[in-house]
Amino acid sequence: MTGFYSRNWKRFSIIGLFIVFSVLSLFIGSLGGVTLRAILEGDEVARLVFIHSRVPRTLAIILSAAGLSVAGLMMQAISRNRFMSPSTAGTTDAAALGLLLSFIFLSNQSGTMQTLFSFVFALAATLIFTLIISRLKIREVVYIPLLGMMFGGMISALTTAVAFRFDAMQVLNMFSMGSFARLGDFRMVYLVIFPLFVAVLFATRFSIIGLGEDFAKNLGVNYNRVVMLGLVIVSLISAATFVAVGPLPFVGLIIPNMATSFYGDNIKKSIVDLMLFGSVFVLACDIISRLVIFPFEMNVSLTISIIGGAIFMIYLIRGLKGGQPGKKQIN
């Protein structure tokens, strides 16, 4: 009974923070006068800014954060490693390569085509890295993500070489920084809704494969099929968010660890809390980015890198001291 009240208190707290930061995101910006009172009184400028800028931006923040948080959780369940995420497995770097190639070879491409290119490259890179680590007998928890960073670094170097060869460095620099203040729309980020729905639907199966292949097969779960579904979810989320807003470092890495510290390891019970937790974190970072040099705005990826990097170092040191985190439990 105590655990029930404790869990619900945490859930209500994160829902409260989510509502507060969402409202702040809607009404904080360089353009003053966008207030609820101005909108209700019929101020046309305030209404247009609110509908066409603030609302889409806030939705993009929530969907990107929720999507990357779930993608990180999927990666950690598949690899059984708490330090895995799209950014430490080469997935995000491969999405950048796919997006760059779509710019180079299809000059008038749509957002859908950009996302398709990014998705194909992200999925291919994630599959390759998954095959590599499945054949390695590595016990230390930190070695696999470090190997993934090396793999991603190789892809990033290739991306830079391609951009230099085709005189596309300016294009590469344009989407190498994550920001919710980009000119244009966030339509591609709405593609995240479908994989999020699938992730919630198959949450129990992802919990089971996190316990290992033999355990999953004994429970009648098709391990390879669920792993492939998870990789597709991770790749689609990574591609859609990268095309829409650029890279958001550490979100898929630290949010699953922070959320499971609060809510436990059962994916089915904690996946919605995880989405809310990730949304609150990115909303807070985005608000800080808007206020720190107000009325100008700093790229949100810089804020996330500073805060997320510090949190990641804490978890990394704990991992080095404590070794492999404990096994997941299904309640």
Side-chain angles (χ1 to χ4, degrees):
M1 186 65 68
T2 302
F4 173 81
Y5 284 116
S6 175
R7 184 179 186 87
N8 279 276
W9 178 84
K10 293 175 183 177
R11 179 167 292 169
F12 292 142
S13 297
I14 200 67
I15 290 174
L17 287 173
F18 173 76
I19 294 172
V20 169
F21 284 128
S22 296
V23 172
L24 289 175
S25 177
L26 289 172
F27 293 103
I28 292 177
S30 58
L31 182 63
V34 183
T35 63
L36 181 60
R37 179 177 179 179
I39 295 171
L40 293 177
E41 289 179 352
D43 188 319
E44 187 66 14
V45 174
R47 187 185 69 84
L48 290 175
V49 171
F50 184 81
I51 294 175
H52 296 289
S53 177
R54 302 286 174 80
V55 172
R57 175 179 181 142
T58 301
L59 289 175
I61 294 171
I62 294 170
L63 288 175
S64 299
L68 289 174
S69 299
V70 170
L73 187 66
M74 297 294 100
M75 289 292 295
Q76 292 174 15
I78 292 170
S79 64
R80 302 180 69 191
N81 189 307
R82 291 290 178 85
F83 293 140
M84 289 301 297
S85 74
S87 60
T88 58
T91 307
T92 304
D93 301 284
L97 176 59
L99 181 57
L100 176 67
L101 292 177
S102 73
F103 269 100
I104 293 173
F105 296 109
L106 298 172
S107 57
N108 294 318
Q109 73 287 348
S110 64
T112 303
M113 187 59 66
Q114 293 175 3
T115 305
L116 179 61
F117 265 68
S118 295
F119 168 71
V120 170
F121 277 82
L123 181 60
T126 309
L127 283 171
I128 292 171
F129 183 69
T130 303
L131 290 174
I132 291 173
I133 63 174
S134 67
R135 285 165 170 74
L136 296 177
K137 305 298 181 182
I138 299 178
R139 299 294 182 184
E140 292 294 332
V141 66
V142 297
Y143 286 170
I144 292 178
L146 290 176
L147 181 63
M149 291 179 184
M150 292 171 59
F151 180 66
M154 294 170 60
I155 297 175
S156 180
L158 176 62
T159 303
T160 303
V162 171
F164 184 79
R165 168 64 179 81
F166 289 94
D167 195 23
M169 288 300 297
Q170 186 174 1
V171 173
L172 180 61
N173 292 332
M174 180 179 67
F175 57 72
S176 62
M177 297 295 291
S179 175
F180 294 103
R182 292 181 169 188
L183 297 176
D185 58 61
F186 298 109
R187 283 181 296 179
M188 288 303 103
V189 81
Y190 299 125
L191 292 175
V192 170
I193 296 174
F194 177 70
L196 285 179
F197 174 77
V198 175
V200 172
L201 193 63
F202 288 87
T204 299
R205 289 180 174 85
F206 289 120
S207 290
I208 292 172
I209 66 168
L211 297 171
E213 184 174 0
D214 293 336
F215 191 90
K217 289 181 177 179
N218 289 336
L219 291 178
V221 175
N222 190 319
Y223 180 82
N224 293 328
R225 186 177 297 173
V226 176
V227 167
M228 188 63 196
L229 176 62
L231 295 181
V232 170
I233 290 174
V234 170
S235 301
L236 182 55
I237 289 174
S238 299
T241 55
F242 192 91
V243 170
V245 301
L248 300 178
F250 295 111
V251 175
L253 178 61
I254 64 172
I255 296 303
N257 283 285
M258 295 174 67
T260 51
S261 297
F262 280 94
Y263 304 109
D265 291 316
N266 190 305
I267 296 178
K268 185 176 180 61
K269 290 184 177 181
S270 64
I271 191 167
V272 175
D273 298 308
L274 172 84
M275 295 181 197
L276 291 172
F277 205 99
S279 299
V280 168
F281 176 77
V282 178
L283 281 167
C285 289
D286 185 65
I287 291 171
I288 293 171
S289 298
R290 296 190 223 182
L291 295 178
V292 68
I293 52 174
F294 189 85
F296 304 102
E297 183 172 331
M298 187 170 67
N299 286 327
V300 70
S301 60
L302 295 176
T303 308
I304 295 176
S305 294
I306 295 170
I307 300 174
I311 297 172
F312 174 62
M313 287 301 298
I314 294 172
Y315 278 100
L316 185 63
I317 292 170
R318 286 182 179 178
L320 286 170
K321 289 181 177 180
Q324 178 69 38
K327 293 183 179 295
K328 296 184 178 181
Q329 296 179 353
I330 306 229
N331 298 322

